[in-house]
Amino acid sequence: MIFRHAILAIVLVTCVATAAPAQTLKSVQDRGNLICGVSERLPGFSAKDDQGQWSGLDVDFCRALAAAIFNDATKVEYVPLAAESRFEALRTKKIDVLSRNSTWTMGREVGLGLAFAAVSYYDGQGFMVRNALKIESALELAEKSICLQSGTTTELNLADYFRNNRLSYKPVTFHSVKEALKAYADGNCDAFTSDVSGLYALRTELTTPRDHIILPDVISKEPLGPVVRQDDFQWFTIVKWTQFAMVNADELGINQGNLDEAMKSDKPSVRRLLGMEGEFGKQVGLTNDWAARIIRTVGNYGEVFERNVGTGSKLGIPRGLNQLWDKGGIQYAPPIR
Ligand SMILES: N[C@@H](CCC(=O)N[C@@H](CS)C(=O)NCC(=O)O)C(=O)O
């Protein structure tokens, strides 16, 4: 009898131990930096310059998280990941968060045990072709060869699109974006397909970008956003509200330039966002000025968008769907209250 109780106790202790929630925030704080998975090279989203400095919209998300946690956006170790290895790197805890133009799909959540925290960029899949080809619509790509990267949603969307339209095509698939773009640049494919944002980004890498157009057809929904494991709700909450803080700041008109002025505001929504009222930051394991730290160092969502990919940047992408909900887009953040 005593023996059976002892066995039961061991089983219970083991179960409780395995069920203990992961403490990503604590391990990030103890380590002293955030390990962020990013693209290997996608200018405007994540790219390393000659001085070893990373920049881009996805990189700024990592910086925003580091600012919220450490009040120092430089406390990030970037891990460049190919499409095929990104989710495994997250599952096996090689990274704390994945911020790498990854599309939120049901399969990736239920099949891989991951959780998309928010949508940092609403996108869709498109095609890039040479002007000289005189193609104006994706349907004219029937029988043509199309370069793409494996391990992406791109592959299935492409197959679906041609199947739906009862057309055939020749997919030419590569493990790395570098190889795929080189094949297209060398003329080994008639078209290149990816998320439209990726096409804008990669077009800047071609010898004569203006010789290539992005077709108007958008064949899928690609909501891109940061991803975490499902085992840590506190961490999921921090990642999610980091994105929402930047969108809320944009909506409230708070930016890097007017933050100090905004700190004196008596508007309740501004005071709560910036931590002058409420205990929202502390309740999630941060300091109450967590969002102010993000805005001061990285900026609001609109500033991040414009700086990295917007019409004034090298990529020149119109804000489009990523405009705020009250300005004609679908970027919408739940309120901080
Ligand atoms: N959003 C799609 C596609 C993401 C993707 O990996 N696209 C490629 C082609 S643009 C890319 O970003 N490659 C950059 C890299 O591998 O560094 C997905 O989640 O599967």
Side-chain angles (χ1 to χ4, degrees), residues 208-266:
T208 320
R210 63 172 182 278
D211 286 351
H212 303 264
I213 55 157
I214 294 162
L215 297 178
D217 312 67
V218 175
I219 65 165
S220 70
K221 288 187 289 187
E222 305 293 321
L224 312 177
V227 199
V228 294
R229 292 175 290 274
Q230 284 176 4
D231 61 0
D232 187 344
F233 197 74
Q234 180 198 42
W235 184 242
F236 173 68
T237 308
I238 290 171
V239 173
K240 174 165 58 175
W241 285 91
T242 292
Q243 172 63 19
F244 290 161
M246 290 194 282
V247 173
N248 275 318
D250 195 3
E251 188 183 320
L252 292 167
I254 307 168
N255 55 42
Q256 282 183 303
N258 66 15
L259 179 69
D260 289 332
E261 206 47 44
M263 298 284 248
K264 297 179 208 142
S265 170
D266 51 15

Side-chain angles (χ1 to χ4, degrees), residues 40-41 86 100-103 108 149 152-153 194-195:
E40 294 188 293
R41 184 163 176 83
R86 62 187 143 163
R100 185 207 174 282
N101 59 319
S102 294
T103 305
R108 287 172 174 175
Q149 192 174 356
T152 56
T153 46
S194 183
D195 302 339

Side-chain angles (χ1 to χ4, degrees), residues 38-42 45-46 80-84 86-87 100-105 108 116 123 125 148-155 157 175-178 180 192-195 197-199 201-202 222-224:
V38 292
S39 278
E40 294 188 293
R41 184 163 176 83
L42 202 59
F45 287 85
S46 106
L81 294 163
E84 276 170 352
R86 62 187 143 163
F87 299 121
R100 185 207 174 282
N101 59 319
S102 294
T103 305
W104 186 343
T105 69
R108 287 172 174 175
F116 283 76
D123 209 347
Q125 185 173 332
L148 67 145
Q149 192 174 356
S150 52
T152 56
T153 46
T154 317
E155 284 181 286
N157 294 329
H175 294 293
S176 82
V177 69
K178 206 171 159 187
F192 186 98
T193 186
S194 183
D195 302 339
S197 64
L199 298 178
L202 295 173
E222 305 293 321
L224 312 177

Side-chain angles (χ1 to χ4, degrees), residues 285-317:
L286 301 173
T287 54
N288 287 337
D289 67 344
W290 65 286
R293 292 173 167 195
I294 296 173
I295 302 161
R296 179 171 292 112
T297 33
V298 183
N300 71 33
Y301 180 74
E303 291 179 287
V304 170
F305 188 99
E306 290 309 327
R307 174 166 71 230
N308 293 303
V309 302
T311 44
S313 76
K314 206 173 169 195
L315 272 66
I317 308 180

